[in-house]
């Protein structure tokens, strides 16, 4: 059996002969997921008269008091599925770019868990106790750190690695303020801090997905191990 090179992703076929999504397609989904989340929250807020974005949590847009909770909940489920798919693309693209398999897998896992958190937010509507499971979406906090680790020391990805590391510390600071460190947050602006942390995480996700997709599309095509060699005849040699 021929072993595929590390990081080389070949389109697999399903039972009906179709092809699964390529790594590039998964990364482009990573560009779409943040846009879906932002648009979903914006639309749900617009259709919720009297909603206070500063004092109220995002989850209340899908709760019983919302006039159109399905808009928020369905949007979160779609964004969640997109985020989980993007995590698979991140893991493969980072391994190809940096060669650090385990670190790349964890970076992809944190991205996928962010999508899983959005999926939980849409499936289990606030104030359902199971809605707390959406907290796994805070895993986006660690995705920039592990992305920087996966790409560290690779000249072609120096800017993305440094950018991701700096973004991680920025996210960490916002998370600390969100949780009440230094008493900066008040009861009337908790929603703004929550939105700020979520927006910064999603913005990093979109930028990183864009950069990794550019790298993936510019990489040399991997040879197909199932293809015939250039000089091999396409017929069986005649018996002597």
């Amino acid at each position: 059996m021929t072993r595929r090179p590390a990081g080389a992703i070949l389109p697999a076929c399903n039972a009906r002969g179709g092809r699964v999504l390529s790594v590039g397609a998964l990364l482009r989904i990573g560009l779409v997921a943040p846009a879906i989340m932002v648009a979903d929250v914006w639309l749900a807020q617009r259709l919720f008269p009297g909603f206070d974005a500063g004092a109220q949590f995002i989850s209340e847009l899908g709760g019983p008091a919302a006039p159109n909770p399905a808009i928020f909940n369905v949007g979160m489920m779609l964004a969640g599925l997109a985020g989980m798919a993007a995590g698979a693309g991140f893991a493969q693209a980072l391994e190809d770019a940096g060669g650090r398999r385990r670190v790349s897998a964890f970076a992809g896992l944190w991205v996928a868990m962010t999508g899983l958190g959005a999926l939980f937010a849409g499936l289990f509507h606030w104030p359902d106790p199971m809605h707390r499971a959406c907290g796994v979406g805070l895993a986006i906090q660690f995705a920039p750190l592990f992305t920087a680790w996966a790409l560290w020391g690779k000249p072609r990805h120096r800017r993305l690695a440094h950018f991701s590391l700096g973004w991680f510390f920025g996210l960490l600071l916002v998370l600390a303020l969100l949780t009440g460190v230094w008493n900066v947050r008040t009861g009337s602006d908790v929603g703004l801090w929550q939105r700020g942390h979520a927006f910064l995480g999603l913005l990093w996700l979109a930028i990183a997905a864009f950069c990794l997709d550019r790298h993936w599309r510019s990489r040399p095509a991997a040879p197909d191990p199932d293809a015939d060699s250039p000089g091999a005849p396409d017929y069986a040699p005649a018996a002597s």
Side-chain angles (χ1 to χ4, degrees):
M1 179 180 293
T2 304
R3 184 177 180 181
R4 294 176 181 174
I9 308 300
L10 300 176
C13 295
N14 59 26
R16 297 186 178 182
R19 294 185 181 275
V20 299
L21 290 174
S22 67
V23 172
L26 293 173
L27 291 171
R28 286 187 284 277
I29 290 175
L31 277 168
V32 173
I36 295 176
M37 289 189 188
V38 172
D40 183 47
V41 171
W42 177 83
L43 181 59
Q45 286 184 182
R46 292 278 294 180
L47 299 177
F48 195 150
F51 184 82
D52 188 343
Q56 292 180 263
F57 289 102
I58 297 175
S59 297
E60 295 181 52
L61 294 169
N68 300 285
I71 293 176
F72 175 80
N73 294 325
V74 172
M76 283 294 108
M77 286 189 285
L78 291 175
L81 293 173
M84 293 170 67
F90 263 73
Q92 299 289 355
L94 287 171
E95 181 184 347
D96 177 81
R100 296 181 173 99
R101 179 180 236 178
R102 293 183 181 177
V103 178
S104 300
F106 272 104
L109 176 64
W110 305 140
V111 172
M113 286 181 66
T114 301
L116 184 62
L119 182 63
F120 282 148
L123 285 174
F124 305 106
H125 316 151
W126 185 88
D128 187 322
M130 280 297 296
H131 184 77
R132 297 176 183 175
C134 72
V136 300
L138 288 174
I140 191 65
Q141 178 70 53
F142 300 102
L145 176 63
F146 277 74
T147 295
W149 187 0
L151 300 176
W152 202 259
K154 306 300 177 182
R156 292 186 59 190
H157 304 282
R158 182 180 294 111
R159 286 189 296 179
L160 180 55
H162 291 177
F163 166 76
S164 296
L165 183 61
W167 204 271
F168 163 74
F169 286 110
L171 270 179
L172 188 62
L173 174 62
V174 175
L175 180 63
L177 297 175
L178 170 62
T179 55
V181 174
W182 301 310
N183 294 321
V184 173
R185 175 181 62 77
T186 65
S188 60
D189 63 2
V190 62
L192 293 178
W193 284 105
Q194 184 192 30
R195 285 161 177 77
H197 184 270
F199 178 77
L200 289 174
L202 293 174
L203 180 59
W204 172 84
L205 177 61
I207 294 172
F210 174 77
C211 294
L212 290 173
D213 181 47
R214 287 186 60 187
H215 159 75
W216 187 263
R217 284 186 291 177
S218 65
R219 63 194 286 274
D224 188 347
D226 297 326
D228 295 333
S229 58
D234 57 358
Y235 54 85
S240 55

